Amino acid sequence: MARTQAKRRPFGVEPFSRRATVVWAVVVVALLAAGGFFMFDRLANGLSMAGATNAVPWGLWVAVYIWFSGLAGGLYLVSALVYLLRLPRFAPIARLALGGSIVSLVVSMIFIGIDLGAIRHSLGTLLFFHWSSPLAWEIKAYIFFMVVAIAQFALVLYNDRGARAAVAGAADGRKADTHRGNVNLVVRVLAGVGVATSFVGPPGGTGMFFAAVKTRGLWEGGITSVLFYVMAVVTAAAFLIVAYRLLCRLRGARPDEAACTGLARVLAASLFALALCVFFQLAPALLSDDPRIADAVAVMTGGYLAPLFWIGEIGLGLVVPAVLLALGAARRSPGMVTAASLSVMAGILALRYVLVVAGFSVPLLAGMAPPVYVPSLGEVMVALFVLGLGVALYGLAVRFLPLEAMGPGEGVMEKTAIAGNAAVFAGPVGNEKEAAR
Amino acid sequence: MSEHTETTSASREAAASPHGADASARTAFGTPSRRAVVGASAAVALSALAGGAGLGAYMAANDPLTDAPHGRGQASGAYGADDVVLSMCNNCNTYCTIKVRVTDAAEGTDAAEGATALVRKISGNPYSPLNSQPYAPVPYGTAPADALAPDGSMAVKGRAANGGMICLKGQAGIQLVHDALRVTQPLRRVGERGSDEWETVSWDEAVDEIVNGSPSLGTPGVAAWWAYAPKKDVEADVALVEAGEMTKEAFAQKWGDKLIDVEHPDLGPKSNLFCSCGGDRMFLIGDRFTQKCFGSVNNFNHGGVCGMTGVMGNARTHPTTGHKRMYADIDHCECLIIWGTEPMTANKGPTWLAPRLSVARERGMKLIVVDPRQGRSASKADVWLPVVPGHDADLAFAMASWIVQNKRYDEAYLRAPGKKAAAALGEPTWSDATHLVAVDLPNRPVVTAKLLGRTGEGGLADDARFVFAGGELVAADELDGPADLEVDDVVDVKGKPTRVVSVFALLKERLDERTIEEYAAAAGIDVADVVDVAREFTSHGKRACVMSYRGPAMHANGFDAVRAVSYLNFLIGNHDWKGGHIAAAAKFAPYTGRYDLQSVPNAHEGWGIPITRQKTEYEKTSYFKQDGYPAPRPWYPLPGNLSHEIVPTLRAGYVYDHLGALFIHRHSLVDSTPGGDRLADVLCDTDKINLLVSFDVEVGDTSRYADFVLPDRTYLERFSQEPIYPNQQYQLIQFGQPAVRAYEGPRSVEDVYLEIMERLGLPGVGEGAVPKGKKDSGQTASLSSEEDYWLKMAANIAYAGEPVPDADAEELALFERVRARALGDAFDLDAWKAAVDEDEWPKVVYVLNRGGRFGSADPAKDDGYEGDLIKTRYAGLCAFYDPKTASTKNALTGKNFDGMAAAAPVAYADGSAFEAPAERPLAFVNWKARTNGTHRTIASPWLRETGTENFVWMCPADAAARGLANGDAVEVAGPMGSESGHVRVTEGIRPGVVGCNFSFGQTGYRARPLVVDGEVLAPAPDYLEESGVLDGDVPGEQKSGYAGGRGRGFIMNELLPDDPTVQGGGGVCDPVGGGSAQLDLFVEVRKA
């Protein structure tokens, strides 16, 4: 009995309700089943099933990949508000952000993996290096970033062990305080290193990868890196609002007001910055009329990508969430903020899709037909399959890792649930050991 | 579950307000020890320092911009001299120098399927400038081990770059040599000709039945009818008959067994009933075996369906040497006009010309392309002039008119009448602009010493020409100053006052027949564009040039068109100048030197009238006496190699009513001659062609009709040498040699000829067949095998001029090692060595180890030039006017041909108009595909992947008018029937003109099933169809990259019209140049 309990409660995490678990499983299975055949086709027969061509080699999968890698980078940056800056307001969502970052990074890797013609060759990017290859730099920054995030997460979990001692006797307490302080110092240093890496790894490095493509006028230039950085924060803030509220709902708990307000402010501020980035990316093109970039912008604003640009990127990505956030703030309506977040996530996907595809829409040789890309059915279904994997991974992570907890790593003396009245944990650290005994 | 919700109040509090007081938060994060803080700071600082220093040191030690090896694994793919045979490509007539990488075949005879080794890769020969442009090749003296050593780039680039460039057709050679569908044993037909049913026979049986007759087929052996009579003896008796000293009966009695027709002794001996058609090795199989051993004048290469009219146009405007081609010195040209040719794709050839054109464009050379279609070259041009097909002469005359009217020609050059005057100007060539033509005399001759009756006067030769200088009649060659350019005067010719006009005045008169506007309108080009191009062309001194080939030539007015285009070069006098017209291509003489490969002791020298009536003046034959004008079919006094005349002539039964034997190798009449499969009536007729033998690597479209198909070796399995055209300034000769033996059965054509000749007892084979050493030295050498011939040629090459050094011991060992590995038991070192003298062998090896012989070809050393002149020069007369042409007559009309080019419309043989009928308004042109230059390359799936079929190009306006969209199935309706294809809608072709490339639509080459020994052999697979991919039909949409079948597309030459004004049909031809007018065709294109 005790063993079973321990097994069911790793790190003391309580199982979710049966209904929630079933819904999660059904969603996962449905997505995997829907895309299964197409994924098999992709792996067995290669890329010919994709709508991508020589002229537009990157499509839906790359757009989704950069969406998830941006999410990973953004989540890490939000987590750094606690682990680096130690802003207590964000403590409830710190672990969710850090853990989510690692899972998102894995999901993004799967998406870029399926986009590779010869997946087995990807190992070469790790084994070999070249100065002038942006890819060589980026892939290494990715790996380094992932190692830092995982180490940091492990240390946070490790620090939970000291939580019980901290509330014990004075002598033990001082020792425990020092121990806790030392571990948190390392976490803080790692967070600093991680934030520094975010400029060259996800999300900034991904932006630089695009910005360095000299032949693609739309991407080339510094604003692309900034755009990627800001998009990442926007996506992460929106994702956390939705995920945090969803988890609280599943646990039947009341979300932490201060944390929610903080996230909403981060979302609002980063959205404003995003609007500026989009404007500064497009405005010079309209002024200069340089065909390398103006033609791409024309495809976005008036060409076949226009619906996606105006409705998706500008509408769902900027206008709708701005209105909803304002209304949400005025009426103190969490539902509005959640709706704004969902809109933003869709809008950012549209933005990334439009950016990738429009970048290719100017032929490299003047006079050749403008390339057009429409994702194939197979491409969409493969994306759904990987999305299913993603939902599975997020679900497993939140079920088996204490992402909903706070503890010494987040500046809380004792490991505790992130929402006050939630029935999440079996109790303070140590209980599980006792139970096992 | 509720029991687990129990938490301490403290923690609940903390959880409820984690953002409580700052102090508590600080405590909550704990207080690090001093050591920890110091340690962490030190760790961060040290990491930053170490990282920075490490990166700095790494950057200092490694140039970040140098690509370091980063390939994967240990396999470098590198290969060196031991894996390489340097040879010669045959997949187009550029005959590139190639580097063939061989690899071991599977072990065991069965597993290897008879292959001694496998060809794994083909690239360019690093010794040869033909494949290294724009850089100098490896110096000739470099040891092969060094020249062929891997350059280490494999680990960086994933590909080795130590070979020269080669085009995609060249690389595809692998698939031709190792084609699993090749014929490997002699085949004898079963049933009628063309029934596609065969049985295998042994080589001995096949050769025996060819020589002695086939009991099963009923075909006569060559030995049964072959007979030879020396010309001298026959002519002596003819003279006796004409003098009445010998009766016709006595003559017939004496020569009846030897001559084809005693009524027409000038037709020659029965040996002329042996006819040989070949696509290569014709200096051996044609000039030596057929002409001098079989004693037959009937040996032809494919020239007649290729560049023959152009060759004649050039040869008659360059009479000093009969120079055949119009090429430019691209490396220094400032303004190049590419006229009706596609050097980026073809024309001697893409590997040699394309990179140099690109470099020239980069340098700023102006490029103008005249072509109804925008090919690769036109797409890179400053100006594209889409001339109306067949109106090239109009365009040339429009330009020439403007140049003459505006005096933009090089007057000093044109006024130099001969070598002496030209030399005084520093000009290497001179023109006939000042020479005089006696315009009112029969044949409009040039005024010469003979005409004036002044031969011998001051040492004047018969043909010494005369000019006016300062109003005085003087010999052109004696003048060292300018002569009068515009002369219309009267001189005394043998006592009679005779009007003489200078050639330049005749040219002006000719140009003035129409206005520039009229010429430009006929050519379909705006006058303003004509003027712009003419101005540009005359704005670069000698560094401007027109290069031209089949576009203007392959029309029924092609001879004049090519001459007219030539005039543009003459007007600026650009011959032999750097950046001007090039006539170089110095070789290392292959046929003479150590061995005289052209002479045959006790030869049967062929004589008589060829079946094509080529190089023969009708008026001098017995047939003229018999028929007079009009002759049933044209006669061609000037050109040769008119292979397309064979079948229509036999159909008409004119002069020749049959051939005893027709041997064909590496040439497909059906795929190249107007009419295509319409030739079948004659090819199937055993009364017209008693014996038809085809040497082929597969059963091709023409081989289908043969009695015997004898499997030839591919070029990668045998020796080869073909001359490259004179478009390069360096001295070189390429030499092909066997790199592997892919199958055990096939034999080289020449080897089989030798055996047949031996069995027939003909001269020129066996001991003493080749004269050796200096002429009349009396020494001889043997010619019993193919090695005997080719290695003697290698010896000639090695000893030409300054002999090459001896191969050292290392090179000799390398040579033997490579051949033993690559050729296995097909390599007999002793036999090879025995082909030449012992002291010659090391030099022969030196040449073979380098794939030929190459003079220094370093642009940095100005190799190939002397100052502002090209080193190897034409140095002769540039003739606007040709008295030889003017003296010959059209056998149908009896009228003289014109000594001066005219802008006449295309016409049938009798001069009647050849115009577009209302129901077929579209002009149809054809061109060579980049991917499929000949019928032979269809066997390569790689090439078929890049082009599935020959799409019909059509401009959008014409397509819209017919409701056609890109990729639509269409019917191309021509005068003789229609073909099915798919349309490619493109702006790259002139409105009113459509066209396609050739060499598609084959039925042979296993495009269809074949029955051999009762077994049905399936056709080559159509990978597109097999995989269910349907995009092969839509131009530009082949995303799948699969190869289609070998029979896709259509044989475009089947669309070509027959000339209705001659007996026996056959395609329309130029009356002077004799070449097939394959660009004169009108069609309609309809949705199928």
Side-chain angles (χ1 to χ4, degrees):
Chain A
M1 177 67 191
R3 189 171 287 177
T4 314
Q5 248 182 14
K7 210 174 181 182
R8 290 189 62 202
R9 300 190 181 89
F11 297 101
V13 181
E14 278 292 322
F16 287 91
S17 70
R18 189 176 186 81
R19 186 161 162 255
T21 309
V22 167
V23 169
W24 168 77
V26 165
V27 169
V28 169
V29 170
L31 288 171
L32 293 181
F37 167 76
F38 297 94
M39 190 64 184
F40 173 79
D41 184 31
R42 159 67 190 89
L43 294 176
N45 300 321
L47 285 173
S48 62
M49 51 89 72
T53 59
N54 282 348
V56 188
W58 292 349
L60 179 67
W61 296 336
V62 169
V64 181
Y65 148 66
I66 57 174
W67 192 91
F68 275 100
S69 84
L71 176 63
L75 287 174
Y76 186 88
L77 290 173
V78 174
S79 82
L81 294 175
V82 173
Y83 297 119
L84 180 65
L85 302 181
R86 296 188 171 171
L87 300 180
R89 171 194 287 271
F90 294 100
I93 48 83
R95 282 192 197 186
L96 193 58
L98 185 56
S101 172
I102 296 167
V103 175
S104 302
L105 209 54
V106 171
V107 175
S108 78
M109 291 297 198
I110 299 175
F111 267 108
I112 198 61
I114 57 167
D115 188 68
L116 298 177
I119 299 169
R120 65 187 184 283
H121 287 178
S122 56
L123 191 65
T125 58
L126 300 178
L127 296 177
F128 303 102
F129 176 73
H130 195 265
W131 291 101
S132 60
S133 162
L135 188 64
W137 286 102
E138 198 205 4
I139 195 77
K140 281 166 187 67
Y142 257 69
I143 300 299
F144 183 69
F145 181 82
M146 201 160 179
V147 169
V148 168
I150 290 172
Q152 197 183 330
F153 190 69
L155 285 171
V156 168
L157 294 187
Y158 172 67
N159 225 355
D160 282 350
R161 290 160 57 111
R164 201 157 167 249
V167 293
D172 273 1
R174 183 171 299 159
K175 203 175 161 194
D177 182 58
T178 306
H179 181 260
R180 191 167 74 243
N182 288 352
V183 175
N184 277 338
L185 176 64
V186 178
V187 168
R188 195 171 203 177
V189 167
L190 286 175
V193 173
V195 168
T197 311
S198 72
F199 293 109
V200 291
T206 319
M208 281 207 286
F209 188 60
F210 278 79
V213 183
K214 204 76 182 151
T215 50
R216 301 294 176 184
L218 182 64
W219 302 340
E220 190 208 348
I223 194 70
T224 302
S225 296
V226 182
L227 179 70
F228 270 67
Y229 211 85
V230 172
M231 274 196 292
V233 177
V234 172
T235 317
F239 179 84
L240 280 174
I241 288 170
V242 174
Y244 182 51
R245 286 198 176 275
L246 179 66
L247 282 173
C248 289
R249 185 163 211 161
L250 293 176
R251 298 295 190 191
R254 192 162 42 82
D256 184 272
E257 272 304 315
C260 287
T261 311
L263 285 174
R265 283 180 188 163
V266 170
L267 179 61
S270 57
L271 259 185
F272 180 72
L274 180 66
L276 285 181
C277 285
V278 170
F279 177 76
F280 286 126
Q281 187 188 34
L282 303 187
L286 299 172
L287 287 177
S288 77
D289 215 24
D290 173 0
R292 275 194 320 135
I293 170 165
D295 288 356
V297 171
V299 171
M300 290 166 69
T301 57
Y304 79 104
L305 293 172
L308 216 49
F309 174 76
W310 291 112
I311 299 171
E313 178 172 341
I314 302 298
L316 294 178
L318 292 168
V319 178
V320 171
V323 171
L324 288 176
L325 280 177
L327 288 175
R331 297 186 190 170
R332 298 190 163 275
S333 159
M336 292 276 191
V337 177
T338 309
S341 300
L342 288 168
S343 176
V344 156
M345 287 198 280
I348 295 288
L349 182 62
L351 195 168
R352 290 181 184 274
Y353 181 92
V354 167
L355 184 73
V356 169
V357 177
F360 286 113
S361 62
V362 183
L364 288 180
L365 292 175
M368 291 186 73
V372 172
Y373 163 77
V374 179
S376 66
L377 173 71
E379 237 172 326
V380 175
M381 299 312 282
V382 167
L384 289 183
F385 182 90
V386 181
L387 195 63
L389 288 181
V391 174
L393 286 176
Y394 286 114
L396 292 173
V398 83
R399 169 66 186 82
F400 293 109
L401 294 171
L403 298 184
E404 299 165 85
M406 283 184 291
E410 288 77 30
V412 179
M413 296 299 276
E414 192 177 342
K415 184 178 173 187
T416 178
I418 53 178
N421 55 353
V424 175
F425 289 105
V429 173
N431 276 11
E432 56 203 272
K433 276 186 184 163
E434 277 164 27
R437 221 178 281 144
Chain B
M1 229 185 228
S2 62
E3 59 185 326
H4 300 298
T5 61
E6 192 186 323
T7 53
T8 65
S9 62
S11 72
R12 191 190 298 271
E13 197 176 281
S17 54
H19 39 81
D22 275 1
S24 71
R26 259 201 303 280
T27 324
F29 278 104
T31 315
S33 66
R34 188 185 298 268
R35 275 173 62 186
V37 173
V38 172
S41 307
V44 169
L46 284 175
S47 300
L49 198 66
L55 204 63
Y58 188 75
M59 286 181 76
N62 292 274
D63 179 0
L65 297 177
T66 301
D67 218 358
H70 56 271
R72 202 165 315 115
Q74 297 304 310
S76 68
Y79 55 96
D82 267 90
D83 310 291
V84 165
V85 176
L86 297 177
S87 189
M88 187 180 98
C89 185
N90 266 232
N91 284 347
C92 81
N93 278 19
T94 302
Y95 298 113
C96 275
T97 39
I98 53 173
K99 182 172 95 167
V100 183
R101 181 196 174 183
V102 298
T103 192
D104 295 334
E107 278 192 33
T109 317
D110 286 348
E113 295 178 49
T116 54
L118 304 177
V119 178
R120 177 154 163 197
K121 182 189 174 178
I122 301 174
S123 58
N125 178 345
Y127 285 111
S128 163
L130 299 176
N131 304 93
S132 71
Q133 294 305 309
Y135 308 106
V138 172
Y140 194 64
T142 314
D146 297 329
L148 300 170
D151 71 347
S153 64
M154 179 66 88
V156 174
K157 297 171 183 163
R159 61 186 173 85
N162 54 335
M165 284 175 296
I166 193 82
C167 83
L168 72 180
K169 296 191 293 287
Q171 296 179 50
I174 298 172
Q175 298 184 319
L176 304 186
V177 65
H178 293 304
D179 181 1
L181 307 185
R182 276 179 59 183
V183 177
T184 58
Q185 293 298 323
L187 299 178
R188 182 173 61 200
R189 76 176 151 86
V190 176
E192 299 297 305
R193 281 187 191 162
S195 61
D196 287 335
E197 204 176 333
W198 305 88
E199 57 187 341
T200 52
V201 291
S202 70
W203 273 106
D204 184 60
E205 199 176 350
V207 172
D208 180 63
E209 292 191 2
I210 287 166
V211 172
N212 298 315
S214 169
S216 56
L217 298 181
T219 52
V222 177
W225 52 262
W226 184 91
Y228 178 76
K231 184 182 185 187
K232 190 159 53 73
D233 299 351
V234 175
E235 283 186 344
D237 284 354
V238 169
L240 292 179
V241 173
E242 280 171 359
E245 294 169 22
M246 187 179 192
T247 64
K248 277 195 169 185
E249 290 69 30
F251 182 85
Q253 185 71 29
K254 182 172 180 186
W255 295 109
D257 293 342
K258 307 270 186 184
L259 297 180
I260 299 174
D261 186 349
V262 286
E263 295 297 318
H264 295 284
D266 52 350
L267 184 51
K270 283 187 174 171
S271 54
N272 280 343
L273 296 175
F274 179 87
C275 179
S276 167
C277 272
D280 72 337
R281 294 165 275 179
M282 284 309 277
F283 48 82
L284 170 61
I285 292 161
D287 298 346
R288 184 181 170 95
F289 288 166
T290 309
Q291 180 75 27
K292 292 174 179 164
C293 304
F294 277 93
S296 169
V297 291
N298 287 316
N299 53 91
F300 312 101
N301 69 29
H302 73 268
V305 289
C306 183
M308 183 45 67
T309 299
V311 162
M312 288 322 298
N314 287 312
R316 295 321 309 166
T317 47
H318 298 81
T320 309
T321 62
H323 179 73
K324 296 172 182 172
R325 316 278 170 191
M326 197 191 303
Y327 281 113
D329 175 25
I330 294 169
D331 289 350
H332 299 90
C333 191
E334 291 176 9
C335 174
L336 176 64
I337 300 181
I338 294 175
W339 198 309
T341 182
E342 175 55 310
M344 283 285 182
T345 296
N347 194 358
K348 304 277 180 179
T351 42
W352 164 248
L353 294 175
R356 292 163 65 238
L357 271 171
S358 301
V359 169
R361 289 292 285 150
E362 184 92 9
R363 164 166 61 74
M365 180 189 76
K366 291 277 188 297
L367 180 61
I368 295 125
V369 174
V370 180
D371 194 333
R373 176 186 76 111
Q374 192 184 65
R376 301 274 156 186
S377 302
S379 69
K380 290 164 178 60
D382 293 296
V383 182
W384 171 38
L385 299 179
V387 67
V388 177
H391 288 270
D392 300 271
D394 292 296
L395 181 58
F397 274 13
M399 287 175 64
S401 293
W402 185 86
I403 291 168
V404 169
Q405 284 169 18
N406 293 278
K407 291 195 179 272
R408 299 276 292 190
Y409 48 82
D410 185 340
E411 187 174 343
Y413 172 77
L414 293 180
R415 290 187 66 181
K419 198 171 186 172
K420 205 188 269 183
L425 287 173
E427 287 283 357
T429 69
W430 58 98
S431 84
D432 64 349
T434 55
H435 298 182
L436 302 174
V437 178
V439 292
D440 293 334
L441 293 184
N443 296 340
R444 288 164 70 100
V446 166
V447 176
T448 58
K450 188 181 180 191
L451 188 78
L452 295 172
R454 291 169 65 172
T455 303
E457 207 176 283
L460 285 176
D462 269 349
D463 60 353
R465 296 182 176 194
F466 278 76
V467 295
F468 273 97
E472 295 288 316
L473 192 64
V474 290
D477 290 335
E478 287 176 2
L479 208 58
D480 57 6
D484 298 344
L485 201 51
E486 295 190 47
V487 178
D488 189 345
D489 213 328
V490 173
V491 298
D492 202 55
V493 173
K494 292 174 184 162
K496 282 188 194 153
T498 304
R499 184 176 164 225
V500 294
V501 181
S502 69
V503 169
F504 191 74
L506 285 176
L507 175 67
K508 276 182 92 169
E509 191 182 303
R510 176 56 50 85
L511 294 174
D512 287 345
E513 285 174 8
R514 281 189 273 163
T515 64
I516 294 181
E517 288 73 16
E518 285 168 342
Y519 284 126
I525 304 291
D526 277 355
V527 176
D529 291 335
V530 171
V531 171
D532 281 351
V533 169
R535 182 181 288 115
E536 185 72 48
F537 181 67
T538 52
S539 299
H540 298 272
K542 307 289 192 186
R543 297 201 174 197
C545 188
V546 186
M547 68 173 282
S548 172
Y549 200 33
R550 293 194 298 218
M554 289 182 82
H555 292 281
N557 60 5
F559 179 71
D560 274 5
V562 171
R563 288 199 295 174
V565 173
S566 275
Y567 292 175
L568 297 173
N569 285 330
F570 296 171
L571 286 171
I572 60 169
N574 60 4
H575 279 56
D576 297 341
W577 286 92
K578 231 180 193 176
H581 181 282
I582 185 169
K587 290 200 290 189
F588 295 93
Y591 309 127
T592 53
R594 303 294 288 186
Y595 301 92
D596 180 358
L597 295 174
Q598 293 168 318
S599 296
V600 176
N602 308 313
H604 293 146
E605 192 61 59
W607 63 276
I609 299 170
I611 185 170
T612 54
R613 301 170 311 286
Q614 65 188 36
K615 295 183 176 166
T616 310
E617 286 184 49
Y618 178 48
E619 295 75 12
K620 292 180 180 168
T621 69
S622 58
Y623 294 91
F624 177 65
K625 286 179 196 145
Q626 176 185 295
D627 300 326
Y629 298 119
R633 288 190 68 81
W635 290 66
Y636 299 100
L638 301 174
N641 288 318
L642 306 181
S643 55
H644 55 287
E645 264 295 317
I646 298 169
V647 167
T649 294
L650 289 172
R651 190 182 287 132
Y654 177 51
V655 184
Y656 280 75
D657 61 1
H658 80 286
L659 282 174
L662 174 60
F663 280 27
I664 304 178
H665 71 271
R666 203 178 163 277
H667 177 186
S668 175
L669 293 173
V670 170
D671 292 316
S672 60
T673 307
D677 226 23
R678 298 204 307 273
L679 273 50
D681 61 338
V682 173
L683 294 176
C684 286
D685 189 340
T686 49
D687 291 334
K688 297 279 187 195
I689 301 168
N690 300 154
L691 174 66
L692 180 46
V693 177
S694 180
F695 299 82
D696 209 338
V697 295
E698 306 232 6
V699 182
D701 280 348
T702 305
S703 300
R704 287 179 62 209
Y705 300 111
D707 299 312
F708 293 91
V709 176
L710 304 180
D712 190 11
R713 290 186 173 164
T714 65
Y715 66 97
L716 291 168
E717 302 164 295
R718 57 174 168 82
F719 293 96
S720 61
Q721 205 291 311
E722 296 292 328
I724 186 149
Y725 287 10
N727 63 6
Q728 34 86 24
Q729 60 273 51
Y730 308 121
Q731 187 178 15
L732 64 91
I733 188 162
Q734 66 280 64
F735 191 81
Q737 55 187 316
V740 295
R741 186 197 65 199
Y743 293 100
E744 217 170 332
R747 290 172 65 186
S748 302
V749 179
E750 58 272 30
D751 211 43
V752 182
Y753 263 80
L754 281 171
E755 187 180 344
I756 292 172
M757 284 157 52
E758 199 171 8
R759 293 200 190 191
L760 283 168
L762 298 181
V765 57
E767 293 300 320
V770 175
K772 192 175 162 190
K774 292 214 165 67
K775 207 173 167 131
D776 304 325
S777 69
Q779 290 178 288
T780 56
S782 72
L783 176 53
S784 305
S785 66
E786 53 190 308
E787 292 90 9
D788 258 353
Y789 180 84
W790 293 106
L791 294 170
K792 286 179 173 67
M793 177 184 280
N796 284 340
I797 291 169
Y799 281 87
E802 182 71 29
V804 300
D806 284 351
D808 57 23
E810 199 180 318
E811 270 203 41
L812 287 167
L814 173 75
F815 176 86
E816 290 170 25
R817 230 171 29 240
V818 171
R819 267 82 195 160
R821 176 194 175 191
L823 302 175
D825 57 14
F827 174 61
D828 181 348
L829 179 64
D830 293 335
W832 284 39
K833 275 183 162 174
V836 294
D837 281 354
E838 205 176 331
D839 57 329
E840 290 166 348
W841 179 247
K843 292 191 194 300
V844 167
V845 168
Y846 196 89
V847 169
L848 293 179
N849 272 353
R850 287 160 179 76
R853 192 169 170 189
F854 309 96
S856 180
D858 189 348
K861 293 182 190 156
D862 219 25
D863 284 332
Y865 299 95
E866 281 172 354
D868 275 340
L869 295 176
I870 296 162
K871 191 172 172 186
T872 307
R873 297 171 202 147
Y874 168 59
L877 170 67
C878 292
F880 290 95
Y881 183 84
D882 180 36
K884 174 83 182 164
T885 302
S887 72
T888 57
K889 290 189 172 75
N890 184 324
L892 270 75
T893 62
K895 287 184 188 158
N896 281 71
F897 293 120
D898 202 327
M900 176 79 74
V906 294
Y908 291 117
D910 70 348
S912 58
F914 180 154
E915 287 163 343
E919 71 277 13
R920 289 184 280 109
L922 298 169
F924 192 103
V925 295
N926 66 83
W927 55 86
K928 185 181 286 183
R930 242 178 350 142
T931 53
N932 209 25
T934 77
H935 73 278
R936 301 180 303 279
T937 50
I938 202 72
S940 163
W942 284 346
L943 297 179
R944 297 201 311 277
E945 282 167 11
T946 57
T948 47
E949 64 176 78
N950 47 348
F951 295 111
V952 179
W953 288 34
M954 180 182 271
C955 86
D958 288 335
R962 288 160 177 81
L964 295 174
N966 194 47
D968 277 353
V970 290
E971 180 200 8
V972 184
M976 311 299 293
S978 55
E979 298 285 341
S980 302
H982 294 92
V983 69
R984 175 183 177 179
V985 179
T986 168
E987 291 282 4
I989 194 158
R990 183 189 173 90
V993 182
V994 293
C996 71
N997 51 47
F998 47 80
S999 294
F1000 280 92
Q1002 300 184 37
T1003 51
Y1005 249 73
R1006 285 287 280 281
R1008 291 188 191 167
L1010 205 64
V1011 178
V1012 176
D1013 295 333
E1015 189 187 341
V1016 180
L1017 304 179
D1022 184 317
Y1023 299 108
L1024 278 169
E1025 212 168 272
E1026 276 184 7
S1027 59
V1029 177
L1030 302 174
D1031 63 10
D1033 297 344
V1034 188
E1037 291 296 317
Q1038 287 87 358
K1039 286 179 190 156
S1040 65
Y1042 293 120
R1046 294 184 181 181
R1048 287 195 176 227
F1050 59 95
I1051 298 191
M1052 68 72 45
N1053 47 312
E1054 279 185 359
L1055 288 170
L1056 291 168
D1058 276 346
D1059 189 330
T1061 68
V1062 299
Q1063 273 182 31
V1068 179
C1069 299
D1070 184 280
V1072 187
S1076 173
Q1078 307 223 26
L1079 299 173
D1080 292 328
L1081 170 64
F1082 295 102
V1083 301
E1084 180 52 281
V1085 178
R1086 286 185 280 269
K1087 206 163 191 165

